[in-house]
Amino acid sequence: IVGFTNIAGDSTPLQVVALLNDLYTCFDAIIDDHDVYKVETIGDAYMVASGLPLRNGNRHAGEIANMSLDLLAACVHFKIRHMPERQLQLRVGLHTGPCVAGVVGLKMPRYCLFGDTVNTASRMESGGLALRVHMSQFTEAVLRELGGYKLECRGEIEVKGKGRMTTYWLLGHTNFNKELPSLDRAAGKEEHEFK
């Protein structure tokens, strides 16, 4: 969430918990409609993968892209209870590639993902912009192969730990009819916390 630190700073602890509970409850309902797996939430970050634990071929990229569009569409009507006039500024990052997955730990065993793919997806999110879905060229190639996705080349950007990469925006899909948030309401670059 772009601006989450400012939202949290202007909120009581209970208001922050209520916001995240409302948001994650909304997101959890949306992901049920897609072949995806919720890996974890850490603070305001919500990590989802597809193609595991059950493989689904190249459908993984389409499932995540479709889910991302649905999450953005939910932002149109999502209200922060104690800041109802404030537009929720979701920022999404996608990457396609291999990873290692497994259950780790004894006290609180968890199904975890490891590898460069996870890191690159995180970099796509942190290097993206509010109310947009940002992706690597690897995800763009799979979505082009699947067909129907509206994609726009962002160009080459510097990605921390990766060097220069050509990245893309997901703008929609020919079969997607829900309203997406207006980019006129997106947070300015000065409001982003680029990592």
Side-chain angles (χ1 to χ4, degrees):
I1 302 170
V2 173
F4 180 74
T5 302
N6 291 336
I7 292 171
D10 294 338
S11 306
T12 68
L14 289 178
Q15 288 172 328
V16 173
V17 170
L19 163 60
L20 291 176
N21 185 58
D22 290 348
L23 184 63
Y24 292 161
T25 299
C26 173
F27 286 5
D28 289 348
I30 290 168
I31 70 171
D32 283 344
D33 294 335
H34 303 278
D35 181 14
V36 299
Y37 179 81
K38 179 180 173 182
V39 179
E40 64 185 352
T41 57
I42 300 175
D44 66 319
Y46 189 94
M47 184 177 174
V48 179
S50 184
L52 57 83
L54 299 174
R55 293 178 185 253
N56 59 10
N58 273 355
R59 279 190 26 246
H60 68 275
E63 292 292 335
I64 291 289
N66 295 341
M67 176 208 68
S68 297
L69 291 171
D70 279 342
L71 294 178
L72 275 181
C75 290
V76 171
H77 301 291
F78 183 87
K79 295 288 181 217
I80 301 172
R81 279 191 250 168
H82 65 287
M83 297 177 175
E85 300 305 313
R86 190 161 188 164
Q87 168 73 57
L88 182 73
Q89 301 283 331
L90 186 65
R91 180 172 65 192
V92 181
L94 312 180
H95 181 59
T96 298
C99 66
V100 175
V103 177
V104 297
L106 295 175
K107 294 279 184 199
M108 272 182 50
R110 293 177 41 189
Y111 185 72
C112 296
L113 302 183
F114 306 94
D116 190 56
T117 296
V118 177
N119 296 335
T120 304
S122 176
R123 297 292 183 228
M124 291 298 102
E125 180 274 323
S126 63
L129 296 174
L131 304 179
R132 303 201 77 166
V133 180
H134 186 221
M135 73 184 75
S136 68
Q137 61 196 25
F138 301 99
T139 303
E140 182 270 345
V142 175
L143 293 180
R144 281 222 189 275
E145 184 180 310
L146 291 172
Y149 291 94
K150 299 172 187 172
L151 306 164
E152 177 183 287
C153 184
R154 180 183 188 183
E156 201 174 82
I157 63 166
E158 186 69 30
V159 178
K160 183 178 175 184
K162 306 296 296 173
R164 300 212 47 87
M165 290 179 69
T166 300
T167 64
Y168 295 81
W169 301 116
L170 172 62
L171 305 178
H173 187 278
T174 54
N175 296 329
F176 185 80
N177 301 317
K178 297 175 187 170
E179 178 187 4
L180 292 172
S182 169
L183 294 179
D184 293 339
R185 300 206 54 205
K189 286 188 180 182
E190 68 282 352
E191 297 176 63
H192 287 68
E193 299 163 13
F194 294 109
K195 299 170 188 155

